[in-house]
């Protein structure tokens, strides 16, 4: 389980000192909960996020354990190093918006016809409770030819998972290479 510390001071000087010591600054928040200013060792955070099997994972900050989902993150534009992460509490029975990743399987037949696979969206914003939160949407792209797209309406959303994105928005597709 990922362990972090609570930040007493949220000022610029204290934040800079934590980053210099290898910490990643994080905010943990949720509905009807007070925000928690935390910090995690950057390398441990990256390792645990890569090793997680579900979208929601446990973190221990201080004496408390929270189930969280990565909502947003910021990278340094020059070094591409993680600078800040926002963690949303995955509360049972509380509906919230989550960013669910898109996973593709197969090889589109359009690649043989000089096409290129394009991701229009890497994640889809859905509204659901923590219990019904899917780990990702698996899309079969074997039948895609040049000019074909998989749209939001083509994705089968589980019961209790709502998507408010326009149904004609493309998710992945194959375009003609230039």
């Amino acid at each position: 389980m990922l362990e972090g510390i609570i930040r007493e001071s949220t000022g610029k000087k204290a934040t800079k000192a934590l980053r210099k010591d290898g910490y990643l600054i994080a905010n943990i928040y949720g509905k009807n909960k007070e925000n928690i200013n935390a910090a995690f060792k950057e390398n441990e955070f990256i390792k645990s996020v890569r090793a997680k099997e579900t979208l929601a994972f446990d973190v221990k900050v201080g004496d408390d354990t929270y189930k969280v989902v990565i909502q947003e993150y910021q990278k340094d534009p020059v070094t591409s190093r993680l600078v800040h992460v926002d963690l949303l509490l995955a509360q049972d029975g509380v509906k919230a918006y989550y960013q669910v990743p898109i996973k593709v399987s197969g090889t589109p037949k359009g690649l043989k016809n000089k096409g290129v696979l394009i991701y229009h969206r890497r994640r889809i914003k859905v509204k659901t409770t923590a219990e019904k939160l899917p780990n990702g949407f698996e899309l079969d792209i074997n039948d895609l030819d040049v000019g074909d797209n998989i749209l939001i309406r083509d994705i089968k959303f589980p019961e209790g998972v709502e998507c408010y994105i326009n149904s004609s928005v493309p998710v992945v597709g194959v375009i003609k290479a230039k």
Side-chain angles (χ1 to χ4, degrees), residues 76-102:
D76 184 285
V78 176
T79 63
S80 291
R81 194 176 148 208
L82 272 178
V83 176
H84 178 89
V85 66
D86 283 338
L87 302 172
L88 176 66
L89 287 171
Q91 300 165 298
D92 290 342
V94 177
K95 279 195 169 189
Y97 287 100
Y98 298 100
Q99 297 281 352
V100 180
I102 297 294

Side-chain angles (χ1 to χ4, degrees), residues 47 54 59 66 70 91 132 159 166:
K47 283 179 190 173
T54 59
V59 295
Y66 304 101
I70 296 174
Q91 300 165 298
K132 297 181 180 179
E159 189 178 324
N166 188 336

Side-chain angles (χ1 to χ4, degrees), residues 56-150:
F57 60 100
D58 291 329
V59 295
K60 184 176 182 185
V61 179
D63 297 332
D64 299 322
T65 302
Y66 304 101
K67 190 175 201 83
V68 297
V69 176
I70 296 174
Q71 194 70 359
E72 192 78 38
Y73 60 88
Q74 295 171 356
K75 286 185 169 186
D76 184 285
V78 176
T79 63
S80 291
R81 194 176 148 208
L82 272 178
V83 176
H84 178 89
V85 66
D86 283 338
L87 302 172
L88 176 66
L89 287 171
Q91 300 165 298
D92 290 342
V94 177
K95 279 195 169 189
Y97 287 100
Y98 298 100
Q99 297 281 352
V100 180
I102 297 294
K103 299 171 185 168
V104 296
S105 63
T107 306
K109 60 184 175 185
L111 294 185
K112 294 176 187 152
N113 301 330
K114 298 185 179 162
V116 178
L117 179 68
I118 296 291
Y119 279 88
H120 297 285
R121 291 183 173 267
R122 294 233 178 241
R123 301 188 301 171
I124 295 177
K125 189 175 186 178
V126 297
K127 185 173 186 179
T128 186
T129 59
E131 309 90 59
K132 297 181 180 179
L133 181 64
N135 292 325
F137 295 114
E138 187 75 34
L139 302 179
D140 180 27
I141 58 171
N142 284 319
D143 295 334
L144 292 182
D145 205 350
V146 175
D148 291 345
N149 287 305
I150 294 178

